[in-house]
Amino acid sequence: MAISFTLNGKPATIDADPDMPLLWAIREVVGLHGTKFGCGAAQCGACTVHIDGQATRSCITPVSSVADQHVTTIEGLTSKPAWVDLQVPQCGYCQSGQIMSATALLEQNPKPTDADINDAMSGNICRCATYVRIRAAIYAAAHSLEG
Ligand code: FES
Ligand code: FES
């Protein structure tokens, strides 16, 4: 089945089983490998992408459901200076999902509180426990948005 959507700002049409998880379509059909597989069950956040600006677990999202929508992956973000400046990643495996959730949060709420961050990020697991640096990077990014 041909499925058309916008991927990282550009039109994309792929031929895939409509029930294929969006994660596999992104990784195996399109060939963008920044979005990671962790649990496959919406429990870890490693596969987080944006669909029309909403942080979404791509491992449980059928690719057919994104027809005519805007999908953004980690490759579609222009810069992540706070993550680099604060050296957030350890092994790095979870970090694209962390950044996608944090970016969606800041786009909807440029001045998040600790509670807002807890709500937005609690579904993103980090086996390396970089949570303190993730929170610091979100605050740094929010500060930089203030100009
Ligand atoms: S791989 Fe999708 S939430 Fe874990
Ligand atoms: S940096 Fe290793 S799992 Fe998060």
Side-chain angles (χ1 to χ4, degrees):
M1 175 181 174
I3 301 159
S4 297
F5 53 101
T6 301
L7 179 61
N8 295 334
K10 296 179 181 165
T13 299
I14 64 170
D15 188 16
D17 183 318
D19 294 329
M20 174 185 281
L22 176 62
L23 174 60
W24 297 132
I26 291 168
R27 289 183 57 87
E28 305 303 328
V29 181
V30 180
L32 294 178
H33 296 142
T35 308
K36 303 302 187 193
F37 172 79
C39 64
Q43 298 296 311
C44 75
C47 66
T48 304
V49 299
H50 296 177
I51 299 176
D52 286 347
Q54 299 293 321
T56 304
R57 307 300 189 235
S58 63
C59 68
I60 58 160
T61 302
V63 64
S64 56
S65 73
V66 304
D68 302 323
Q69 300 196 56
H70 287 75
V71 178
T72 304
T73 69
I74 189 73
E75 291 89 351
L77 300 188
T78 50
S79 68
K80 312 94 184 167
W83 247 253
V84 175
D85 292 348
L86 296 176
Q87 300 184 11
V88 173
Q90 191 162 320
C91 82
Y93 197 84
C94 73
Q95 295 293 331
S96 64
Q98 304 282 1
I99 290 169
M100 296 310 288
S101 290
T103 304
L105 166 65
L106 291 171
E107 285 176 357
Q108 289 156 17
N109 179 0
K111 292 184 180 178
T113 63
D114 267 336
D116 296 331
I117 294 171
N118 291 345
D119 283 347
M121 303 300 297
S122 63
N124 285 80
I125 307 300
C126 177
R127 290 172 301 179
C128 303
T130 62
Y131 300 110
V132 172
R133 293 202 297 276
I134 289 169
R135 187 176 301 269
I138 292 171
Y139 278 123
H143 186 66
S144 70
L145 288 175
E146 290 176 359

